[in-house]
Amino acid sequence: MLQNNHQRHLMPNRIILVRHGESEGNLNTGAYATTPDNKIPLTPDGIHQGRSCGARLRSLLSGSANDYRVYFYVSPYERTRSTLREIGRSFSRKRIIGVREECRIREQDFGNFQVSERMKVIKETREKFGRFYYRFPEGESAADVFDRISNFLESLWRDIDLNRLQHDPSQELNLIIVSHGLTSRVFLMKWFKWTVEQFEHLNNPGNCETRVMQLGEGGEYSLAIHHTDQEMLEWGLSPEMIADQKWRAHATRGEWNENCPWYLDEFFDHLMIDSEDDEKENDAEYSDANCASESS
């Protein structure tokens, strides 16, 4: 997919994940007991964070290309929509080629109204059970979020493949996805094929923090082009995961990273090297030949 030069020109130069600004629920979890999660608004600080995030994004995009364009995907929650509105203040109309509200990138569903004392017990249980598989009563697990993010990514690639974003290949395209902390972590997990164990070690982004996936010279996306090793370590990436990001920065699309431990070594013990395998095959052929000779 997207192998030739024309198709590569349609690929976004960056896919940027943005967590929403500070919300009333971030300040006081009691807000969830009386207000539906999707209606929780930003705080004044959250509004300021969104506006500052927009300025940082504009600086990033304008620093690499004079003629860039932006397409936004946004969760339907009030706090993400408000964050997008503040980010948008930094861009002129000609820079924004489109925006789409996307339900599949919404927050993990924690149930309906969330009573503080009950949620405290539930979250303690989640820590014992495991963050990825634990399903909140009347809500979702991170595994459920993974399924809908997987579906969203299929749609995203079709949008790019078929140029549904109406992108002029002579302009640099950047996708900005304004979403939530866990949703962003699951997005990265799915994209980079991280394991459940690796996901469990990831830290949540701060309010209006970004994760910039940039297109490398060979057609793969990498976090290591824009972000430092220290940043990725603070996010919870292991040294092996960071090494894979650096490999991706120069890899040709579709290549297999032979040195990536969780592609094979995570699942098998003591795999034979090729020379040992060849010796076993030769021994087997020799044994078969002897058996055939003795029976004739």
Side-chain angles (χ1 to χ4, degrees), residues 18-23 26 42 46 49 79-80 83 107 178-181 206-209:
V18 182
R19 186 189 174 200
H20 60 81
E22 181 186 73
S23 73
N26 294 142
L42 294 180
Q49 288 170 346
R79 55 187 179 272
T80 43
T83 301
E107 176 65 289
V178 184
S179 184
H180 307 266
N207 293 119
C208 277
E209 276 192 8

Side-chain angles (χ1 to χ4, degrees), residues 220-259:
E220 282 283 354
Y221 286 91
S222 171
L223 294 165
I225 297 174
H226 179 75
H227 298 289
T228 65
D229 289 15
Q230 184 59 39
E231 284 179 296
M232 290 186 282
L233 282 171
E234 290 172 357
W235 301 344
L237 274 69
S238 68
E240 292 79 14
M241 295 165 74
I242 294 172
D244 182 59
Q245 292 299 315
K246 291 181 177 179
W247 175 84
R248 288 172 177 272
H250 306 284
T252 300
R253 184 168 182 79
E255 274 189 330
W256 180 272
N257 185 358
E258 296 287 350
N259 296 317

Side-chain angles (χ1 to χ4, degrees), residues 187-233:
F187 184 102
L188 294 173
M189 175 192 181
K190 170 61 179 174
W191 189 285
F192 294 120
K193 301 179 178 62
W194 292 340
T195 66
V196 171
E197 183 179 357
Q198 288 168 325
F199 169 84
E200 297 275 5
H201 288 92
L202 296 177
N203 298 315
N204 216 31
N207 293 119
C208 277
E209 276 192 8
T210 59
R211 303 289 186 262
V212 180
M213 301 162 52
Q214 189 157 331
L215 188 64
E217 58 193 34
E220 282 283 354
Y221 286 91
S222 171
L223 294 165
I225 297 174
H226 179 75
H227 298 289
T228 65
D229 289 15
Q230 184 59 39
E231 284 179 296
M232 290 186 282
L233 282 171

Side-chain angles (χ1 to χ4, degrees), residues 144-189:
D144 295 324
V145 178
F146 182 95
D147 290 341
R148 56 178 163 88
I149 288 296
S150 299
N151 185 267
F152 166 65
L153 281 175
E154 291 177 6
S155 300
L156 181 67
W157 277 118
R158 283 197 297 272
D159 287 347
I160 295 169
D161 273 343
L162 301 176
N163 198 20
R164 290 173 178 163
L165 307 182
Q166 300 299 307
H167 164 227
D168 181 345
S170 67
Q171 299 166 341
E172 180 188 273
L173 174 63
N174 299 273
L175 302 185
I176 299 179
I177 301 173
V178 184
S179 184
H180 307 266
L182 180 132
T183 310
S184 295
R185 283 181 282 147
V186 168
F187 184 102
L188 294 173
M189 175 192 181

Side-chain angles (χ1 to χ4, degrees), residues 82-144:
S82 297
T83 301
L84 172 62
R85 187 171 294 109
E86 298 307 318
I87 289 173
R89 297 181 190 280
S90 293
F91 297 96
S92 65
R93 176 63 186 85
K94 78 169 188 175
R95 300 293 187 187
I96 302 174
I97 61 173
V99 59
R100 184 180 304 172
E101 182 178 279
E102 178 51 74
C103 285
R104 289 172 292 183
I105 61 172
R106 68 187 185 276
E107 176 65 289
Q108 178 182 6
D109 190 345
F110 297 106
N112 298 314
F113 291 110
Q114 302 167 32
V115 179
S116 296
E117 289 304 313
R118 179 171 180 257
M119 287 302 295
K120 181 180 178 181
V121 174
I122 287 173
K123 289 185 176 180
E124 288 174 354
T125 304
R126 179 183 63 170
E127 292 302 315
K128 297 175 183 177
F129 192 90
R131 285 176 169 267
F132 188 76
Y133 292 114
Y134 181 80
R135 180 176 286 116
F136 283 81
E138 304 172 342
E140 290 181 302
S141 65
D144 295 324

